[in-house]
Amino acid sequence: MINIPCDRNGEYEPKIISKYQRNVTDIEDKVMALYAAGMTTRDISEQVKNLYGVDLSSEMVSNITNRILPVVTE
């Protein structure tokens, strides 16, 4: 679950996750695509920070990429 900051004037425009969106599947898809292209988890973490300004630890990237491993082994 993502916590959205309170904005009384309705002026807050999120950059990564659009308003009223509660999941981050788009970012997860991008992380998996970068991983499939052969980037390391640390490289992906740096790219996400450069592109979106969000700190995503290499452990979190690893957790995201581990979700695709059962599909790959099939």
Side-chain angles (χ1 to χ4, degrees), residues 34 39-54 56:
L34 293 171
M39 292 182 73
T40 66
T41 56
R42 290 179 194 233
D43 290 340
I44 295 170
S45 178
E46 289 176 21
Q47 287 299 316
V48 170
K49 184 170 182 163
N50 290 337
L51 293 171
Y52 300 110
V54 173
L56 191 64

Side-chain angles (χ1 to χ4, degrees), residues 8-38:
R8 294 177 190 215
N9 298 327
E11 298 170 351
Y12 177 75
E13 287 295 328
K15 294 181 181 178
I16 298 175
I17 303 170
S18 58
K19 284 186 178 182
Y20 311 112
Q21 184 178 355
R22 297 285 183 212
N23 63 30
V24 290
T25 54
D26 293 338
I27 294 175
E28 289 180 353
D29 291 343
K30 289 177 175 103
V31 166
M32 286 192 224
L34 293 171
Y35 186 75

Side-chain angles (χ1 to χ4, degrees), residues 4 9 12 20 35 55 60 67-69:
I4 311 266
N9 298 327
Y12 177 75
Y20 311 112
Y35 186 75
D55 287 323
M60 177 61 101
R67 293 181 198 161
I68 199 170
L69 291 179

